[in-house]
Amino acid sequence: MHIKAKTVALGGLLLALTVVFMALGSIIETSTLFLLAAASFFVGIVVREFGLKAGGAFYLAAVLLGFITAPNKFYVLTFAAMGLYIWGIEAVWRWLEKQSGMSRRYKVFWISKYVIFNIVYLPLVFLFRDMLFAQAASDTIMIAVIVGGQIGLFVYDRAYDYVQTHIWGKIRGRVL
């Protein structure tokens, strides 16, 4: 198996940026979610450019390096959840591309996005309930957190689409 030098170089550069963004998320507290989201977008770039296997390896390397280097390990868990979501939707998209006879692929894709998100999000909310809230959270607050997460997913997903289409689309020609 031959690995192209350009692939390794770009993957290493994106991995370095991912780890820097995770570390900066711990330092610049006001922009934590923005920086973690930006770091997770690199997982999608690697998947789109080099495939699911390379994207999976990139994701695992980013999580491991994040645990080694990032000051706040909780933010690495947040990145891990965001990156897993990105990897999952890219995998679903690739699967849907192969399903030529399937109608309403876009609708299936959106439903898949919310299913993948909730498989990742809901266990984290319930498992880390005590860590997320200073005092016991009522059921109303938990419902608000779950609904807020669904709205947050919509914004996050739109930002990811924008980055892939507009920002990476412009940079890609210069880098590759």
Side-chain angles (χ1 to χ4, degrees), residues 48-60:
R48 288 192 181 185
E49 295 300 326
F50 309 120
L52 285 172
K53 288 182 184 178
F58 178 88
Y59 168 74
L60 289 175

Side-chain angles (χ1 to χ4, degrees), residues 69-87:
T69 60
N72 191 334
K73 306 309 181 208
F74 185 71
Y75 294 160
V76 178
L77 286 175
T78 306
F79 163 79
M82 291 174 157
L84 184 61
Y85 167 77
I86 295 290
W87 189 87

Side-chain angles (χ1 to χ4, degrees), residues 16-114:
L17 286 172
T18 301
V19 173
V20 166
F21 280 23
M22 273 192 273
L24 282 176
S26 298
I27 296 168
I28 306 171
E29 293 288 330
T30 56
S31 299
T32 298
L33 279 177
F34 171 78
L35 290 166
L36 293 175
S40 68
F41 293 167
F42 293 126
V43 174
I45 290 171
V46 171
V47 169
R48 288 192 181 185
E49 295 300 326
F50 309 120
L52 285 172
K53 288 182 184 178
F58 178 88
Y59 168 74
L60 289 175
V63 171
L64 290 173
L65 281 173
F67 275 118
I68 292 169
T69 60
N72 191 334
K73 306 309 181 208
F74 185 71
Y75 294 160
V76 178
L77 286 175
T78 306
F79 163 79
M82 291 174 157
L84 184 61
Y85 167 77
I86 295 290
W87 189 87
I89 65 169
E90 290 294 337
V92 167
W93 180 254
R94 286 174 181 255
W95 180 78
L96 286 172
E97 283 180 331
K98 295 176 184 172
Q99 308 302 317
S100 60
M102 180 183 286
S103 62
R104 300 182 183 161
R105 278 192 262 181
Y106 195 69
K107 191 178 283 188
V108 170
F109 185 55
W110 266 99
I111 291 169
S112 299
K113 285 181 177 186
Y114 276 93

Side-chain angles (χ1 to χ4, degrees), residues 124-173:
L124 290 176
V125 167
F126 290 111
L127 288 174
F128 296 109
R129 185 178 196 166
D130 295 334
M131 191 182 294
L132 293 172
F133 304 105
Q135 56 189 356
S138 67
D139 291 338
T140 307
I141 291 174
M142 290 302 290
I143 290 170
V145 167
I146 292 169
V147 170
Q150 309 306 310
I151 295 167
L153 169 66
F154 183 78
V155 173
Y156 174 73
D157 196 66
R158 288 292 172 197
Y160 175 66
D161 287 341
Y162 180 82
V163 166
Q164 283 289 357
T165 304
H166 297 287
I167 297 173
W168 179 246
K170 290 178 183 176
I171 295 172
R172 184 178 189 271

